[in-house]
Amino acid sequence: MNKIEHIGIAVKDLEKSNELFAALFGKPHYKTEEVESEGVKTSFFQLGPNKVELLEGTNENSPISKFIEKKGEGVHHIAFAVDDILSEVARLKEAGFIVLNETPKKGADNKLVVFLHPKSTNGVLIELCQEIG
Ligand code: ZN
């Protein structure tokens, strides 16, 4: 596993939160992207080598909408960059971690992503992501 690629934050209103985090970071987000299969709208801020991803659910069945319903807005996941997502998945399964989707799916920001169940990682939802070459 390499660096922290981004931290994902669940928000109720992406437009408002874009303004809030732009004020916090002193610079605007550099892109927005909708991932329809996941029912989310996202925006990204670049901070040195790391990013912050804001996520808003686009329907009530979206994992983000459900998360906010249960826990309120806040940190949703931490994403780590990996070079070879399939070998990392194999390694982590071997080590006893619970992989939520063994087949990597296409996430935002041109990435293949796999999530680990927070139950197996001290309550933290972990995303592995590999840049799609
Ligand atoms: Zn993410």
Side-chain angles (χ1 to χ4, degrees):
M1 231 178 258
N2 305 326
K3 64 175 181 178
I4 291 177
E5 214 281 333
H6 64 268
I7 294 173
I9 298 175
V11 303
K12 284 184 186 160
D13 182 332
L14 193 63
E15 225 168 283
K16 271 193 199 157
S17 297
N18 278 337
E19 281 175 33
L20 176 76
F21 281 87
L24 178 69
F25 298 143
K27 58 175 134 183
H29 65 283
Y30 66 91
K31 75 157 153 185
T32 57
E33 191 178 338
E34 185 160 348
V35 184
E36 254 175 74
S37 56
E38 297 292 305
V40 294
K41 271 195 302 192
T42 67
S43 67
F44 285 87
F45 294 81
Q46 185 80 48
L47 297 151
N50 312 108
K51 296 170 194 157
V52 169
E53 174 186 34
L54 303 181
L55 304 115
E56 179 197 308
T58 54
N59 64 67
E60 57 186 32
N61 293 319
S62 156
I64 295 301
S65 308
K66 287 184 178 160
F67 176 88
I68 288 176
E69 207 175 287
K70 259 196 250 168
K71 299 190 174 171
E73 294 178 298
V75 174
H76 177 258
H77 64 272
I78 301 178
F80 295 90
V82 299
D83 295 325
D84 180 346
I85 201 162
L86 293 176
S87 71
E88 277 297 280
V89 166
R91 181 181 73 79
L92 293 167
K93 270 182 64 186
E94 181 71 28
F97 293 97
I98 303 166
V99 177
L100 283 172
N101 59 301
E102 285 189 32
T103 306
K105 50 190 180 184
K106 176 114 177 31
D109 203 29
N110 198 39
K111 299 279 196 296
L112 285 174
V113 302
V114 166
F115 287 92
L116 304 183
H117 199 294
K119 198 162 72 179
S120 65
T121 50
N122 280 178
V124 181
L125 179 59
I126 303 281
E127 174 185 334
L128 308 179
C129 57
Q130 180 186 344
E131 189 96 36
I132 300 171

